[in-house]
Amino acid sequence: MRQPLRTLAVNLALAALATLSLLPLAWMVSASLMAPGEASSFPPPLLPREASLANYRALFEQAGIGRQLLNSLWVSLGATALSLGFNLTAGYAFAKLRFQGRDAVFRGLLGALVIPAQVTMMPLFLMLKQMGLVNTVAGALVPWLASVFGIFLVRQYALGLPDEILEAARIDGAGEGTIFVRVVLPLLRPVIVTLAVLTFLGAWNDFMWPLIVLTDRELQTLPVALAGLSREHVQDTELMMAGAVVTVLPVLLLFVLLQRQYLQGLLMGSVKG
């Protein structure tokens, strides 16, 4: 097969796969605009007979999902800020600062990667209960303070920073804090964006930990609230699709806006170190 025909065939195959991948998302948006019961007919329609925002109004006015939407936003932003603060400093320290036991501690952290997060939930819950943090936003944020993956990601990227820049700053009399803030952080911008996006997506979509630690409905996050709503409105497919759109839309917009730097940080972190 000639090269142009081969390229055309590959592009058509990729376009077909992309269409198949996007079809459930497109139907979700379409179903959220349908009248009650319309999506449950057979065969299911691809487009609404008469598009309406009634399901979204019901979601916010009757189900009161706006409160949970704000809770998810605050928890996700708080988790992102905490993750950046701890993981950036720890990753930079493991990459560029010399201290006793540095490599041994880092190898121990890497070993912790094999422990499933679900295993640590019960001990963490009991610790937070002793501290009085159950059913609080602070309790929901504790697992996001630092992560082994985040430290590893920052360390791998920071290893590629030239030591000469740091030494020049020290010779000029800059302290380690000043070097980190004014020299290192600007150079870590791609990995900062990557870590921020990954943390925000993880906290936004997290279902298990908020379900365990946040029992008050006023404090529940959006995934937990939608799960409860689906039990109450199990036959209302259109309302659930509207809830799914509200859940997916913010993270989708965030990914689209930051995808260039997000992918750059992932790729550069994967080849350095």
Side-chain angles (χ1 to χ4, degrees):
M1 183 181 294
R2 294 181 178 179
Q3 185 63 31
L5 291 177
R6 185 179 302 172
T7 303
L8 179 62
V10 170
N11 289 337
L12 289 176
L14 291 176
L17 288 174
T19 303
L20 287 176
S21 301
L22 292 175
L23 191 57
L25 184 63
W27 190 81
M28 178 180 73
V29 176
S30 176
S32 70
L33 302 174
M34 295 179 184
E38 187 177 350
S40 302
S41 58
F42 186 84
L46 294 180
L47 297 174
R49 286 193 294 269
E50 186 175 350
S52 169
L53 296 176
N55 294 312
Y56 292 95
R57 285 195 292 270
L59 199 63
F60 284 93
E61 295 175 0
Q62 299 174 18
I65 210 71
R67 176 71 181 182
Q68 285 74 30
L69 180 64
L70 286 177
N71 290 341
S72 278
L73 184 62
W74 289 125
V75 169
S76 300
L77 290 176
T80 303
L82 290 172
S83 175
L84 289 178
F86 282 89
N87 290 325
L88 285 173
T89 51
Y92 168 71
F94 279 116
K96 292 298 181 183
L97 301 183
R98 295 182 178 87
F99 54 90
Q100 189 174 9
R102 181 188 68 173
D103 295 337
V105 173
F106 185 69
R107 284 195 294 270
L109 286 177
L110 290 183
L113 280 174
V114 302
I115 301 175
Q118 291 80 2
V119 174
T120 63
M121 285 185 176
M122 183 55 69
L124 182 59
F125 176 81
L126 294 176
M127 289 173 58
L128 294 181
K129 186 178 180 181
Q130 292 292 329
M131 298 167 66
L133 293 178
V134 172
N135 205 26
T136 64
V137 175
L141 293 176
V142 167
W144 301 99
L145 288 176
S147 70
V148 179
F149 173 76
I151 295 172
F152 176 77
L153 183 68
V154 175
R155 176 186 177 273
Q156 293 305 104
Y157 192 90
L159 284 174
L161 301 181
D163 291 332
E164 292 77 8
I165 296 178
L166 306 181
E167 292 300 330
R170 292 188 181 106
I171 292 173
D172 288 341
E176 293 299 331
T178 303
I179 294 173
F180 180 73
V181 174
R182 296 190 178 181
V183 179
V184 175
L185 286 185
L187 297 174
L188 293 179
R189 184 179 176 185
V191 79
I192 291 175
V193 174
T194 302
L195 184 60
V197 171
L198 289 176
T199 306
F200 188 90
L201 294 180
W204 183 272
N205 293 321
D206 190 20
F207 172 77
M208 186 63 71
W209 180 248
L211 177 66
I212 294 173
V213 78
L214 297 176
T215 56
D216 191 343
R217 178 174 171 78
E218 292 298 313
L219 294 174
Q220 284 181 344
T221 56
L222 196 53
V224 178
L226 284 180
L229 199 63
S230 66
R231 290 192 294 270
E232 299 172 10
H233 301 270
V234 65
Q235 300 294 334
D236 202 342
T237 305
E238 297 79 13
L239 185 66
M240 292 301 99
M241 291 300 104
V245 171
V246 172
T247 305
V248 169
L249 196 58
V251 292
L252 192 61
L253 290 175
L254 179 68
F255 179 78
V256 170
L257 290 175
L258 300 177
Q259 62 172 328
R260 185 174 180 180
Q261 297 186 57
Y262 166 75
L263 295 175
Q264 182 185 1
L266 280 182
L267 293 175
M268 294 185 72
S270 65
V271 299
K272 290 184 177 181

